[in-house]
Amino acid sequence: MRAFVDRDSCIGCEACVGICPEVFSMDDEGISVAIDGELAADLVESAEEAMECCPVSAITVE
């Protein structure tokens, strides 16, 4: 599974970073970015929680 952030939708609230800092971080523009590559199995659940908590639905985990 991989995590993706729609940069055009992200409002920079940092909820995803608070929930799953192993996968999400903020870039220099204050927009969330996801780690590149496959998610480790133990991070999938927290990445999905971050997706569900995103107030603007900018995160996809697939």
Side-chain angles (χ1 to χ4, degrees), residues 5-52:
V5 177
D6 179 350
R7 294 184 53 80
D8 294 329
S9 297
C10 179
I11 59 172
C13 73
E14 299 188 35
C16 56
V17 177
I19 294 169
C20 190
E22 301 88 357
V23 174
F24 301 99
S25 62
M26 303 304 286
D27 68 11
D28 293 338
E29 297 175 20
I31 302 297
S32 176
V33 292
I35 61 169
D36 191 31
E38 289 289 316
L39 297 177
D42 62 332
L43 296 177
V44 171
E45 186 175 331
S46 60
E48 289 176 336
E49 180 181 349
M51 177 182 70
E52 293 168 6

